[in-house]
Amino acid sequence: MNRVVHPIEQESYRRLRARLDTSHFPPLSRAVVERVVHSAADLEYASDLVMDEGELAKAHAALHAGAPVVVDVEMVAAGITRRDTVCRLKDAESGPGLTRSAHAVRLAYEQVGPGALWVIGNAPTALEELLTLDAAPVLVIGLPVGFVGAVESKAALRGSGLPAVSNVSEKGGSAVASAALNALLYHPVPQPDSQSEETS
């Protein structure tokens, strides 16, 4: 993706890297860490985030091949630039034992099927519902925020074995969830020539 970076953003990243050494992270993990830290101005995310570089690489390839992106709320959608997303919250209804956010996840899965990237930054119940489905996600960015259910839902995500980006603490939110997706969206796609040169 060709993207013009504003000088203010360039300076912001320069200052971030002056205060936080991210050089030990592999490329995609570093991109996610830096963009999440940048979005929240919170250096603690560098040690709070949990992810796997191999899973990120597969998600990066799928994202750039056109895999659908599902979000739990419109605030997450608003933060994801240059990519259409699916959000079914407006169509969802709460019911006994089912929140609107959870119902929206069911509706979204009915729409997109397996192989999507799921970005959850608001509702722990949305993440909990996703884990009950056979959604076969390419990646789950599970960064819901809050003091009730957020830590537990993210721990359950890590325990599920699904490819994921999560964090350990109560922190999270729409801005950091969309930032994690944008990190993959903005990261360059390897060119065939460079791949052949690396393997030769």
Side-chain angles (χ1 to χ4, degrees), residues 32-123:
V32 171
V33 167
E34 289 188 346
R35 192 154 288 278
V36 167
V37 167
H38 179 262
S39 72
D42 187 344
L43 302 178
E44 291 182 359
Y45 273 110
S47 57
D48 192 36
L49 288 164
V50 181
M51 68 197 93
D52 176 81
E53 183 73 7
E55 293 174 352
L56 292 180
K58 292 177 182 177
H60 179 259
L63 179 64
H64 287 274
V69 176
V70 182
V71 301
D72 62 333
V73 293
E74 292 291 349
M75 286 180 66
V76 175
I80 296 172
T81 55
R82 304 190 184 191
R83 187 59 184 266
D84 292 334
T85 61
V86 173
C87 181
R88 297 298 303 275
L89 190 60
K90 290 180 179 178
D91 305 316
E93 298 178 357
S94 61
L98 186 72
T99 66
R100 279 187 68 216
S101 295
H103 187 215
V105 166
R106 292 186 187 180
L107 294 175
Y109 176 59
E110 291 172 3
Q111 179 178 338
V112 303
L117 288 87
W118 293 76
V119 189
I120 296 174
N122 184 67

Side-chain angles (χ1 to χ4, degrees), residues 168-183:
V168 176
S169 74
E170 296 92 345
K171 294 190 294 189
S174 299
V176 295
S178 59
L181 191 283
N182 284 337

